[in-house]
Amino acid sequence: MTTPPSTARSSATRPSSTLPSSTAPRPAPWVRTRLRAAPLATLLGAALAFVAVLLAAALPRAQDRGADQALRSFLERSAAGNTSLQVTAPSPGTGQSAQALDATLEKLLGPTGSTFRVDPDKTIHGARTTKRQELLNPELSRPSGLPPSMNLLHVRQAEAHVKLAEGKWPSSSPTAPAQAAPGETAPLQVVLSQKAAATLGARVGSVLKIAARVDGTPSVEVVGLYAVLDETDDFWTDNLGCLARACEHFYNESLAWDVDALVGTGDLDRMANWSRTAEDFWQLPVDVGRLRADRLDATRKDIASYIAGPTAATLARETGRARLHTTSWLPERLEEARARTQAAAPLAAIGPAGVGGVAFVVLCLAGALAADRRDAELRLLLARGGSRAAIVGRLLGEGAVTVFPAAAAATALAVLLLPTPRLAPALLSATAVALLALLAFPVRAAVLLTPARPAGRWRRPVAELLVLIATVAAVVEVRRRGVAPPGSDLDPLLIAAPLLLALCGGLLLARLQPVITGWLARAAGRSSGLVGFLGLARAARGSGATGRTGPSVLPMIALLLAITTGGFGAAVLQSVDSSRLGVARLTVGGDAAISAYGKSPLPAGLAKSAGELPGVRTSVPLWIDHDSSLHGTTVRSSQVTVVVADPAAYAELSRVLGCGSFDPALLATAGASAADAPVPALFSASLAGQAVQGGTYTVQPGDGGELKVRVAGTIDCTPAHPARDAATVVLPTGAATDLMGGADHPNRWLGIGDVDGDRLRALVRSKLPAPSGTPAPAPAPIPGSGSAAGPAPLDEPYPVSTSAEAVTALGSDPLQRSAQRLFWASMAGAAGFALLAVLLTLMRAVPERAALLARLRTMGLRRRQGVALILAETLPQTLAATLGGALVAAAAVALLGPAIDLSTLVGAHVPNGVRLTAGPVLTQALGLAALVAAAVFVEAATTGRRQITNELRAGDQR
């Protein structure tokens, strides 16, 4: 206790008998003394808190960044009009002005900026006529005899996107009446695009007339021509009709031209005279780059209010336009984005949930081991008069000095490395982990210092029963509702189902492992060796300074949690990859495909050369006709796709692509049949439902002729047509090629194997005929081929597609990549924490183990036997956790897998379900087990010798 200065001065005059009390030492500061007494433990505690809090703060921010990026990418892939607000109102006609349009735009932008923002630099507004008028000039182009039609627009931003090529811009003042002939209305001044003028046959000075009306409808005069700077600009796409070029218009299969012309501000109030009605429009593009996934619901509500709600009513009143009308596809796009996010959220949460569970176990283990190490010190303080509350308070002070600075630094680093607008989830997660790291040791110490109570044998069984009940409830809910029920938010119980299964497996393993290890120890005791028996006996009893089973069980639970979540997540991702490859193969028709234009054949020798390329295992030349029809007693005239292929090669292709296996002999017998006998054929499942097995039908190709076929078998789908419900008839080469014109020359080639797309395209180019000055026709799209592999270049007469390219296109969604990156980062963290749990247990048992080995060394134990003893003591838990984790992961996939919808992660609609394969589960289990075993071996080989030497020199200090 510190003595005040006044007391110290007065004590100098007292008798010498009182001097010793004045020189009594002051008590040492508790926290500083304790931290200095164990600097290594202090640093390790701070490092553990830093890493745990860093992960806790980083994972929510990484999830937010991935969700925001996926949302913006999804919306950016939509057309510009799908992410804009389209506002229209009838034009007032007389008195219309550009200033009124601009003023209305300012009022329309007012309510934006809270949850969504409109990019003012990309807004488009103006006025337009609402009904096209036919141009009667006889000199204008009329491809099918129909006159062209025209709309008039005034676009405020048009001049920034075009360049005047000829003539002048329309006047900004009203057209002078003197320009009109007596008795006629002055024409409106307009400008046309050069391409539209060339298509119509109009030029500067042309006066374009429409049908005369009693109200003196004006004609238009072309006063200038402009050139569009960039036709791919969003300004011209789906927004402004036919301003950039003339558009084709078909009426009863007759072609006519549609064109649009720009009007100047001087004729704004006369535009309605052109088509009797006109409307003002404002296109407000929402700034997709500022949208946030966590505010989707609020954004949808604000946009809905803008379209038809309080905001819409306020805008109609403020602008003075009672018939102001707003439309947009954005609410539908946002709803699709929300559904995608909800579908992917549970799968993206598997990894963070796993690392969170393992980190929780490790922090509890660290607190338990610290309390175990200082048990004698704490009980001594309690025996000397310290209260339990005071001791726990001082332990909290120790922890606060190490945990809080480390947690603050980790949170700041996570915020700095992963910038995202939302801060609350990261702070809450970091605070929770920091409090756990702070309270783990004091709470464990409080439990140890609590007076002993009668042992309750019912507590552990009741706790295990509660965990079992929660696990069963979670599994039943997942099987009943699915991991991500449509339209629902993330359900913690459903996400925790794999962790609960792992916890049940850990609790069961904690009861079985000592028993099984004890049996092994007794079996080893019957042999002459001592190392195996002693190591297994210590493993069965539970290593540690005090022999308590709690700290020794926690590393096994941490390992089992890491292996289970890692194996389950890896199985999910493996199923995603395999499903994506299956979808890509069905889309392409194999691993590689070459298609011809229409029914024209492939170049001579191309199919044979393609089959000889490196990596091609199966080569299937095909002749395909999509315009055939099928006739029979049970099947009336129906359009079908006819495929002619070699039976053996096609059977292999069908088997690899999962379309069903069949015996090629069913089709190969056609060569031995009589000339007039029906050709055996395979019918697709949808067509076979109408046909009779063995029945005879007539196939009529699109180019004439007919062929009698009989039903020889059924296939689920055909690689030549990706739609599984497509009506398809597969015929063998031979009789079919003899009876169907053109079938002897394939128009498509499919291949299976590791085919290089660039090499295949080079082969196609080498087989092309020499150019004759006439460009090759553009290839027709493959019916039903989808767009997964991307469109073929227009200058490719024989498009090449590969499944690898289709897989890349399917997996290009940022939502998928974000979920995968988050999972693997979480699994790396979970593996690190599991390894740390094992090392903490090993380090805590070092003094006791060193003393044992020192005594055994004096009895003749060799160094190599000492390492073997350590491995025999520590590896049973690792092996048990590995086996148990692999089994629990397999059980999780079997129980929860059928309820998981992988369509969002695959990039295409696929049936629900995660397939159980041994590869991903065993890779996670054996990889983590090997990592832990290597760490145990290194620790035993490096630290055991030094500890044993110290014990032999100093003896047992305990």
Side-chain angles (χ1 to χ4, degrees), residues 67-68 70-76 78 82-85 115-117 286-307 328-343:
D68 290 345
L71 169 65
R72 294 162 187 171
S73 176
F74 172 74
L75 294 178
E76 286 170 356
S78 302
N82 289 342
T83 58
S84 300
L85 299 171
T115 58
F116 70 96
R117 176 181 177 272
V286 173
D287 189 355
V288 173
R290 293 177 177 266
L291 295 181
R292 292 167 49 182
D294 62 291
R295 304 182 68 181
L296 266 182
D297 290 339
T299 303
R300 288 176 56 230
K301 289 180 181 178
D302 288 349
I303 291 178
S305 177
Y306 199 103
I307 294 174
S328 177
W329 288 103
L330 195 56
E332 287 78 6
R333 298 288 85 80
L334 293 179
E335 179 61 28
E336 291 178 15
R338 182 174 181 271
R340 283 162 40 86
T341 303
Q342 288 178 334

Short mmCIF file of all heavy atoms in Angstrom, two decimals, residues 67-68 70-76 78 82-85 115-117 286-307 328-343:
data_model
loop_
_atom_site.label_atom_id
_atom_site.label_comp_id
_atom_site.label_asym_id
_atom_site.label_seq_id
_atom_site.Cartn_x
_atom_site.Cartn_y
_atom_site.Cartn_z
N ALA A 67 -21.52 -9.67 -52.92
CA ALA A 67 -22.93 -9.49 -53.26
C ALA A 67 -23.15 -8.22 -54.07
O ALA A 67 -23.93 -8.21 -55.03
CB ALA A 67 -23.77 -9.45 -51.98
N ASP A 68 -22.47 -7.13 -53.70
CA ASP A 68 -22.61 -5.88 -54.46
C ASP A 68 -22.08 -6.04 -55.87
O ASP A 68 -22.70 -5.58 -56.85
CB ASP A 68 -21.86 -4.75 -53.75
CG ASP A 68 -22.53 -4.33 -52.45
OD1 ASP A 68 -23.69 -4.72 -52.24
OD2 ASP A 68 -21.88 -3.66 -51.64
N ALA A 70 -21.84 -8.79 -57.61
CA ALA A 70 -22.73 -9.67 -58.36
C ALA A 70 -24.00 -8.92 -58.78
O ALA A 70 -24.48 -9.09 -59.91
CB ALA A 70 -23.09 -10.89 -57.52
N LEU A 71 -24.55 -8.10 -57.90
CA LEU A 71 -25.75 -7.33 -58.23
C LEU A 71 -25.47 -6.38 -59.39
O LEU A 71 -26.24 -6.31 -60.37
CB LEU A 71 -26.22 -6.56 -57.00
CG LEU A 71 -27.30 -5.50 -57.24
CD1 LEU A 71 -28.59 -6.16 -57.72
CD2 LEU A 71 -27.55 -4.68 -55.98
N ARG A 72 -24.38 -5.65 -59.32
CA ARG A 72 -24.07 -4.67 -60.37
C ARG A 72 -23.76 -5.36 -61.69
O ARG A 72 -24.17 -4.89 -62.76
CB ARG A 72 -22.91 -3.80 -59.91
CG ARG A 72 -23.27 -2.94 -58.70
CD ARG A 72 -22.05 -2.42 -57.97
NE ARG A 72 -22.43 -1.74 -56.73
CZ ARG A 72 -21.57 -1.34 -55.80
NH1 ARG A 72 -20.27 -1.58 -55.97
NH2 ARG A 72 -22.00 -0.74 -54.72
N SER A 73 -23.04 -6.48 -61.63
CA SER A 73 -22.75 -7.19 -62.86
C SER A 73 -24.02 -7.74 -63.49
O SER A 73 -24.19 -7.71 -64.72
CB SER A 73 -21.77 -8.34 -62.58
OG SER A 73 -21.54 -9.11 -63.72
N PHE A 74 -24.94 -8.25 -62.70
CA PHE A 74 -26.20 -8.78 -63.21
C PHE A 74 -27.01 -7.69 -63.90
O PHE A 74 -27.58 -7.91 -64.98
CB PHE A 74 -27.00 -9.40 -62.07
CG PHE A 74 -28.39 -9.82 -62.44
CD1 PHE A 74 -28.61 -10.94 -63.22
CD2 PHE A 74 -29.49 -9.09 -62.01
CE1 PHE A 74 -29.89 -11.33 -63.57
CE2 PHE A 74 -30.77 -9.46 -62.35
CZ PHE A 74 -30.98 -10.59 -63.14
N LEU A 75 -27.07 -6.51 -63.30
CA LEU A 75 -27.84 -5.43 -63.90
C LEU A 75 -27.13 -4.83 -65.11
O LEU A 75 -27.79 -4.41 -66.07
CB LEU A 75 -28.09 -4.33 -62.85
CG LEU A 75 -28.98 -4.73 -61.68
CD1 LEU A 75 -29.11 -3.60 -60.69
CD2 LEU A 75 -30.36 -5.18 -62.16
N GLU A 76 -25.81 -4.79 -65.08
CA GLU A 76 -25.08 -4.23 -66.22
C GLU A 76 -25.22 -5.10 -67.46
O GLU A 76 -25.10 -4.61 -68.59
CB GLU A 76 -23.60 -4.06 -65.87
CG GLU A 76 -23.33 -2.90 -64.92
CD GLU A 76 -21.92 -2.89 -64.38
OE1 GLU A 76 -21.17 -3.85 -64.70
OE2 GLU A 76 -21.56 -1.95 -63.65
N SER A 78 -27.92 -6.44 -68.35
CA SER A 78 -29.23 -6.17 -68.93
C SER A 78 -29.13 -5.02 -69.92
O SER A 78 -28.17 -4.25 -69.92
CB SER A 78 -30.24 -5.82 -67.83
OG SER A 78 -30.35 -6.87 -66.88
N ASN A 82 -33.61 -1.61 -69.41
CA ASN A 82 -34.08 -2.40 -68.27
C ASN A 82 -33.64 -1.83 -66.93
O ASN A 82 -34.13 -2.26 -65.89
CB ASN A 82 -33.58 -3.84 -68.38
CG ASN A 82 -34.27 -4.61 -69.49
OD1 ASN A 82 -35.32 -4.20 -69.96
ND2 ASN A 82 -33.67 -5.70 -69.92
N THR A 83 -32.71 -0.90 -66.93
CA THR A 83 -32.25 -0.30 -65.68
C THR A 83 -32.54 1.19 -65.65
O THR A 83 -31.86 1.94 -64.97
CB THR A 83 -30.74 -0.54 -65.51
OG1 THR A 83 -30.04 0.00 -66.63
CG2 THR A 83 -30.44 -2.01 -65.39
N SER A 84 -33.55 1.62 -66.39
CA SER A 84 -33.91 3.04 -66.47
C SER A 84 -35.36 3.22 -66.06
O SER A 84 -36.18 2.30 -66.13
CB SER A 84 -33.69 3.58 -67.88
OG SER A 84 -32.35 3.45 -68.28
N LEU A 85 -35.67 4.44 -65.64
CA LEU A 85 -37.04 4.85 -65.39
C LEU A 85 -37.54 5.60 -66.62
O LEU A 85 -36.94 6.61 -67.01
CB LEU A 85 -37.12 5.74 -64.15
CG LEU A 85 -36.64 5.11 -62.84
CD1 LEU A 85 -36.54 6.16 -61.74
CD2 LEU A 85 -37.57 3.99 -62.41
N THR A 115 -31.79 5.73 -51.85
CA THR A 115 -31.37 4.34 -52.06
C THR A 115 -30.92 4.08 -53.49
O THR A 115 -30.25 3.09 -53.75
CB THR A 115 -32.53 3.38 -51.72
OG1 THR A 115 -33.65 3.70 -52.55
CG2 THR A 115 -32.90 3.49 -50.26
N PHE A 116 -31.31 4.93 -54.42
CA PHE A 116 -30.84 4.81 -55.80
C PHE A 116 -30.58 6.21 -56.34
O PHE A 116 -31.17 7.19 -55.90
CB PHE A 116 -31.85 4.07 -56.68
CG PHE A 116 -33.11 4.84 -56.96
CD1 PHE A 116 -33.26 5.57 -58.13
CD2 PHE A 116 -34.17 4.84 -56.06
CE1 PHE A 116 -34.41 6.28 -58.40
CE2 PHE A 116 -35.33 5.54 -56.32
CZ PHE A 116 -35.45 6.27 -57.49
N ARG A 117 -29.68 6.26 -57.29
CA ARG A 117 -29.27 7.54 -57.86
C ARG A 117 -29.33 7.46 -59.38
O ARG A 117 -28.96 6.45 -59.97
CB ARG A 117 -27.84 7.88 -57.41
CG ARG A 117 -27.27 9.16 -58.02
CD ARG A 117 -25.85 9.38 -57.52
NE ARG A 117 -25.24 10.56 -58.14
CZ ARG A 117 -24.58 10.53 -59.29
NH1 ARG A 117 -24.43 9.37 -59.94
NH2 ARG A 117 -24.06 11.63 -59.80
N VAL A 286 -30.73 4.58 -64.00
CA VAL A 286 -30.28 4.42 -62.61
C VAL A 286 -28.80 4.05 -62.61
O VAL A 286 -28.34 3.22 -63.40
CB VAL A 286 -31.12 3.34 -61.90
CG1 VAL A 286 -30.57 3.04 -60.52
CG2 VAL A 286 -32.58 3.76 -61.84
N ASP A 287 -28.06 4.69 -61.74
CA ASP A 287 -26.62 4.42 -61.62
C ASP A 287 -26.44 3.07 -60.93
O ASP A 287 -26.52 2.95 -59.70
CB ASP A 287 -25.94 5.54 -60.82
CG ASP A 287 -24.42 5.43 -60.86
OD1 ASP A 287 -23.92 4.43 -61.42
OD2 ASP A 287 -23.74 6.32 -60.32
N VAL A 288 -26.22 2.03 -61.73
CA VAL A 288 -26.10 0.67 -61.21
C VAL A 288 -24.89 0.53 -60.30
O VAL A 288 -24.91 -0.25 -59.33
CB VAL A 288 -26.03 -0.33 -62.38
CG1 VAL A 288 -25.74 -1.73 -61.89
CG2 VAL A 288 -27.32 -0.30 -63.18
N GLY A 289 -23.83 1.28 -60.57
CA GLY A 289 -22.62 1.15 -59.77
C GLY A 289 -22.76 1.59 -58.33
O GLY A 289 -21.87 1.32 -57.51
N ARG A 290 -23.86 2.27 -57.99
CA ARG A 290 -24.07 2.71 -56.60
C ARG A 290 -25.10 1.89 -55.85
O ARG A 290 -25.37 2.16 -54.69
CB ARG A 290 -24.50 4.18 -56.59
CG ARG A 290 -23.40 5.14 -57.05
CD ARG A 290 -23.92 6.57 -57.09
NE ARG A 290 -22.89 7.50 -57.45
CZ ARG A 290 -22.12 8.17 -56.59
NH1 ARG A 290 -22.30 7.98 -55.29
NH2 ARG A 290 -21.21 9.02 -57.00
N LEU A 291 -25.69 0.89 -56.49
CA LEU A 291 -26.67 0.05 -55.81
C LEU A 291 -25.98 -0.90 -54.86
O LEU A 291 -24.86 -1.35 -55.11
CB LEU A 291 -27.50 -0.73 -56.83
CG LEU A 291 -28.39 0.09 -57.76
CD1 LEU A 291 -29.16 -0.82 -58.70
CD2 LEU A 291 -29.37 0.96 -56.96
N ARG A 292 -26.65 -1.23 -53.77
CA ARG A 292 -26.10 -2.11 -52.75
C ARG A 292 -27.03 -3.28 -52.51
O ARG A 292 -28.25 -3.11 -52.45
CB ARG A 292 -25.87 -1.34 -51.45
CG ARG A 292 -24.78 -0.31 -51.53
CD ARG A 292 -24.79 0.64 -50.34
NE ARG A 292 -24.87 -0.04 -49.07
CZ ARG A 292 -24.94 0.60 -47.90
NH1 ARG A 292 -24.92 1.93 -47.87
NH2 ARG A 292 -25.02 -0.08 -46.77
N ALA A 293 -26.43 -4.47 -52.39
CA ALA A 293 -27.23 -5.68 -52.21
C ALA A 293 -27.96 -5.68 -50.87
O ALA A 293 -29.07 -6.21 -50.77
CB ALA A 293 -26.34 -6.91 -52.33
N ASP A 294 -27.37 -5.09 -49.84
CA ASP A 294 -28.01 -5.11 -48.53
C ASP A 294 -29.19 -4.15 -48.44
O ASP A 294 -29.95 -4.21 -47.47
CB ASP A 294 -26.99 -4.77 -47.43
CG ASP A 294 -26.41 -3.38 -47.61
OD1 ASP A 294 -25.66 -3.18 -48.58
OD2 ASP A 294 -26.70 -2.49 -46.77
N ARG A 295 -29.37 -3.28 -49.45
CA ARG A 295 -30.48 -2.33 -49.43
C ARG A 295 -31.44 -2.59 -50.59
O ARG A 295 -32.14 -1.67 -51.04
CB ARG A 295 -29.93 -0.90 -49.51
CG ARG A 295 -28.93 -0.57 -48.41
CD ARG A 295 -28.44 0.86 -48.50
NE ARG A 295 -29.49 1.82 -48.20
CZ ARG A 295 -29.32 3.13 -48.23
NH1 ARG A 295 -28.13 3.64 -48.56
NH2 ARG A 295 -30.31 3.95 -47.95
N LEU A 296 -31.47 -3.82 -51.06
CA LEU A 296 -32.33 -4.13 -52.20
C LEU A 296 -33.81 -3.89 -51.88
O LEU A 296 -34.54 -3.34 -52.71
CB LEU A 296 -32.13 -5.58 -52.62
CG LEU A 296 -31.10 -5.84 -53.73
CD1 LEU A 296 -31.05 -7.31 -54.08
CD2 LEU A 296 -31.42 -5.02 -54.95
N ASP A 297 -34.26 -4.31 -50.70
CA ASP A 297 -35.67 -4.15 -50.37
C ASP A 297 -36.05 -2.67 -50.31
O ASP A 297 -37.09 -2.27 -50.85
CB ASP A 297 -35.97 -4.82 -49.02
CG ASP A 297 -35.90 -6.34 -49.11
OD1 ASP A 297 -36.02 -6.86 -50.24
OD2 ASP A 297 -35.69 -6.98 -48.08
N ALA A 298 -35.20 -1.86 -49.68
CA ALA A 298 -35.50 -0.43 -49.61
C ALA A 298 -35.46 0.20 -51.00
O ALA A 298 -36.28 1.07 -51.33
CB ALA A 298 -34.50 0.26 -48.69
N THR A 299 -34.53 -0.24 -51.84
CA THR A 299 -34.44 0.30 -53.20
C THR A 299 -35.69 -0.06 -54.00
O THR A 299 -36.24 0.79 -54.72
CB THR A 299 -33.19 -0.26 -53.90
OG1 THR A 299 -32.03 0.07 -53.13
CG2 THR A 299 -33.05 0.33 -55.29
N ARG A 300 -36.16 -1.28 -53.88
CA ARG A 300 -37.37 -1.69 -54.59
C ARG A 300 -38.57 -0.88 -54.13
O ARG A 300 -39.42 -0.48 -54.95
CB ARG A 300 -37.63 -3.18 -54.38
CG ARG A 300 -36.65 -4.10 -55.11
CD ARG A 300 -36.89 -5.56 -54.78
NE ARG A 300 -38.24 -5.97 -55.05
CZ ARG A 300 -39.02 -6.61 -54.20
NH1 ARG A 300 -38.57 -6.92 -53.00
NH2 ARG A 300 -40.24 -6.97 -54.53
N LYS A 301 -38.68 -0.61 -52.85
CA LYS A 301 -39.81 0.17 -52.35
C LYS A 301 -39.76 1.60 -52.88
O LYS A 301 -40.78 2.17 -53.28
CB LYS A 301 -39.79 0.17 -50.82
CG LYS A 301 -40.15 -1.17 -50.20
CD LYS A 301 -40.13 -1.09 -48.68
CE LYS A 301 -40.47 -2.45 -48.07
NZ LYS A 301 -40.40 -2.42 -46.58
N ASP A 302 -38.57 2.20 -52.89
CA ASP A 302 -38.45 3.57 -53.38
C ASP A 302 -38.76 3.66 -54.87
O ASP A 302 -39.43 4.60 -55.32
CB ASP A 302 -37.05 4.11 -53.10
CG ASP A 302 -36.82 4.38 -51.63
OD1 ASP A 302 -37.80 4.35 -50.87
OD2 ASP A 302 -35.65 4.61 -51.23
N ILE A 303 -38.29 2.67 -55.65
CA ILE A 303 -38.57 2.70 -57.08
C ILE A 303 -40.05 2.43 -57.34
O ILE A 303 -40.67 3.05 -58.22
CB ILE A 303 -37.68 1.67 -57.80
CG1 ILE A 303 -36.22 2.13 -57.75
CG2 ILE A 303 -38.12 1.48 -59.24
CD1 ILE A 303 -35.25 1.18 -58.39
N ALA A 304 -40.65 1.52 -56.56
CA ALA A 304 -42.09 1.28 -56.70
C ALA A 304 -42.89 2.53 -56.37
O ALA A 304 -43.89 2.83 -57.04
CB ALA A 304 -42.51 0.12 -55.80
N SER A 305 -42.47 3.27 -55.37
CA SER A 305 -43.14 4.53 -55.04
C SER A 305 -42.97 5.55 -56.15
O SER A 305 -43.87 6.35 -56.41
CB SER A 305 -42.59 5.08 -53.71
OG SER A 305 -43.16 6.32 -53.40
N TYR A 306 -41.82 5.53 -56.81
CA TYR A 306 -41.57 6.45 -57.92
C TYR A 306 -42.46 6.10 -59.11
O TYR A 306 -42.94 6.98 -59.83
CB TYR A 306 -40.10 6.39 -58.32
CG TYR A 306 -39.60 7.57 -59.11
CD1 TYR A 306 -38.83 8.55 -58.52
CD2 TYR A 306 -39.89 7.68 -60.46
CE1 TYR A 306 -38.36 9.63 -59.24
CE2 TYR A 306 -39.44 8.76 -61.20
CZ TYR A 306 -38.67 9.73 -60.59
OH TYR A 306 -38.22 10.80 -61.31
N ILE A 307 -42.70 4.80 -59.33
CA ILE A 307 -43.49 4.37 -60.48
C ILE A 307 -44.98 4.57 -60.21
O ILE A 307 -45.70 5.12 -61.05
CB ILE A 307 -43.18 2.90 -60.80
CG1 ILE A 307 -41.72 2.76 -61.27
CG2 ILE A 307 -44.12 2.36 -61.86
CD1 ILE A 307 -41.28 1.33 -61.45
N SER A 328 -40.91 0.96 -65.73
CA SER A 328 -39.53 0.48 -65.63
C SER A 328 -39.54 -1.02 -65.44
O SER A 328 -40.45 -1.59 -64.81
CB SER A 328 -38.79 1.15 -64.47
OG SER A 328 -37.48 0.64 -64.34
N TRP A 329 -38.51 -1.68 -65.99
CA TRP A 329 -38.27 -3.09 -65.75
C TRP A 329 -37.37 -3.30 -64.54
O TRP A 329 -37.09 -4.44 -64.17
CB TRP A 329 -37.61 -3.74 -66.97
CG TRP A 329 -38.53 -3.90 -68.13
CD1 TRP A 329 -38.59 -3.14 -69.26
CD2 TRP A 329 -39.54 -4.92 -68.28
NE1 TRP A 329 -39.57 -3.60 -70.11
CE2 TRP A 329 -40.16 -4.70 -69.53
CE3 TRP A 329 -39.97 -5.98 -67.49
CZ2 TRP A 329 -41.19 -5.51 -69.99
CZ3 TRP A 329 -41.00 -6.78 -67.96
CH2 TRP A 329 -41.59 -6.55 -69.18
N LEU A 330 -36.93 -2.23 -63.92
CA LEU A 330 -35.97 -2.35 -62.83
C LEU A 330 -36.52 -3.12 -61.63
O LEU A 330 -35.78 -3.92 -61.04
CB LEU A 330 -35.49 -0.96 -62.41
CG LEU A 330 -34.24 -0.92 -61.54
CD1 LEU A 330 -33.09 -1.64 -62.21
CD2 LEU A 330 -33.84 0.52 -61.25
N PRO A 331 -37.79 -2.93 -61.21
CA PRO A 331 -38.28 -3.76 -60.08
C PRO A 331 -38.18 -5.25 -60.35
O PRO A 331 -37.83 -6.02 -59.46
CB PRO A 331 -39.73 -3.29 -59.92
CG PRO A 331 -39.74 -1.90 -60.45
CD PRO A 331 -38.78 -1.91 -61.60
N GLU A 332 -38.50 -5.67 -61.59
CA GLU A 332 -38.38 -7.08 -61.91
C GLU A 332 -36.93 -7.54 -61.88
O GLU A 332 -36.62 -8.64 -61.39
CB GLU A 332 -38.98 -7.36 -63.29
CG GLU A 332 -40.51 -7.31 -63.34
CD GLU A 332 -41.03 -5.88 -63.35
OE1 GLU A 332 -40.21 -4.95 -63.45
OE2 GLU A 332 -42.27 -5.71 -63.27
N ARG A 333 -36.03 -6.71 -62.40
CA ARG A 333 -34.60 -7.07 -62.38
C ARG A 333 -34.10 -7.16 -60.94
O ARG A 333 -33.30 -8.04 -60.60
CB ARG A 333 -33.78 -6.05 -63.16
CG ARG A 333 -34.11 -5.91 -64.62
CD ARG A 333 -33.64 -7.09 -65.43
NE ARG A 333 -34.61 -8.20 -65.42
CZ ARG A 333 -35.70 -8.23 -66.18
NH1 ARG A 333 -35.94 -7.27 -67.02
NH2 ARG A 333 -36.52 -9.24 -66.11
N LEU A 334 -34.53 -6.24 -60.09
CA LEU A 334 -34.09 -6.27 -58.69
C LEU A 334 -34.65 -7.49 -57.97
O LEU A 334 -33.98 -8.07 -57.10
CB LEU A 334 -34.52 -4.99 -57.98
CG LEU A 334 -33.84 -3.70 -58.44
CD1 LEU A 334 -34.37 -2.51 -57.65
CD2 LEU A 334 -32.33 -3.79 -58.28
N GLU A 335 -35.88 -7.88 -58.31
CA GLU A 335 -36.45 -9.07 -57.70
C GLU A 335 -35.67 -10.31 -58.13
O GLU A 335 -35.42 -11.21 -57.32
CB GLU A 335 -37.92 -9.19 -58.09
CG GLU A 335 -38.62 -10.42 -57.51
CD GLU A 335 -38.62 -10.44 -56.00
OE1 GLU A 335 -38.60 -9.36 -55.38
OE2 GLU A 335 -38.62 -11.55 -55.42
N GLU A 336 -35.28 -10.38 -59.41
CA GLU A 336 -34.46 -11.50 -59.86
C GLU A 336 -33.11 -11.50 -59.14
O GLU A 336 -32.61 -12.56 -58.74
CB GLU A 336 -34.24 -11.39 -61.37
CG GLU A 336 -35.50 -11.62 -62.20
CD GLU A 336 -35.23 -11.46 -63.68
OE1 GLU A 336 -34.04 -11.44 -64.06
OE2 GLU A 336 -36.18 -11.33 -64.46
N ALA A 337 -32.51 -10.32 -58.98
CA ALA A 337 -31.23 -10.25 -58.28
C ALA A 337 -31.38 -10.68 -56.83
O ALA A 337 -30.51 -11.36 -56.28
CB ALA A 337 -30.68 -8.83 -58.35
N ARG A 338 -32.48 -10.29 -56.20
CA ARG A 338 -32.71 -10.69 -54.81
C ARG A 338 -32.88 -12.20 -54.70
O ARG A 338 -32.35 -12.84 -53.78
CB ARG A 338 -33.94 -9.98 -54.27
CG ARG A 338 -34.25 -10.28 -52.80
CD ARG A 338 -35.41 -9.42 -52.31
NE ARG A 338 -35.70 -9.67 -50.92
CZ ARG A 338 -36.54 -10.59 -50.48
NH1 ARG A 338 -37.18 -11.36 -51.34
NH2 ARG A 338 -36.77 -10.75 -49.19
N ALA A 339 -33.62 -12.80 -55.65
CA ALA A 339 -33.79 -14.26 -55.63
C ALA A 339 -32.45 -14.96 -55.83
O ALA A 339 -32.18 -15.99 -55.19
CB ALA A 339 -34.78 -14.67 -56.71
N ARG A 340 -31.60 -14.43 -56.72
CA ARG A 340 -30.29 -15.03 -56.93
C ARG A 340 -29.44 -14.94 -55.67
O ARG A 340 -28.77 -15.89 -55.27
CB ARG A 340 -29.58 -14.31 -58.07
CG ARG A 340 -30.04 -14.69 -59.45
CD ARG A 340 -29.64 -13.65 -60.49
NE ARG A 340 -28.30 -13.15 -60.29
CZ ARG A 340 -27.19 -13.73 -60.75
NH1 ARG A 340 -27.30 -14.84 -61.43
NH2 ARG A 340 -26.01 -13.20 -60.53
N THR A 341 -29.48 -13.78 -55.02
CA THR A 341 -28.69 -13.61 -53.79
C THR A 341 -29.18 -14.54 -52.69
O THR A 341 -28.38 -15.15 -51.97
CB THR A 341 -28.77 -12.16 -53.33
OG1 THR A 341 -28.31 -11.29 -54.38
CG2 THR A 341 -27.93 -11.93 -52.09
N GLN A 342 -30.51 -14.68 -52.56
CA GLN A 342 -31.05 -15.58 -51.55
C GLN A 342 -30.68 -17.03 -51.84
O GLN A 342 -30.40 -17.80 -50.91
CB GLN A 342 -32.57 -15.43 -51.48
CG GLN A 342 -33.04 -14.13 -50.85
CD GLN A 342 -34.55 -14.02 -50.86
OE1 GLN A 342 -35.22 -14.61 -51.71
NE2 GLN A 342 -35.10 -13.25 -49.95
N ALA A 343 -30.67 -17.41 -53.12
CA ALA A 343 -30.35 -18.79 -53.45
C ALA A 343 -28.88 -19.10 -53.18
O ALA A 343 -28.54 -20.22 -52.79
CB ALA A 343 -30.68 -19.06 -54.92
#
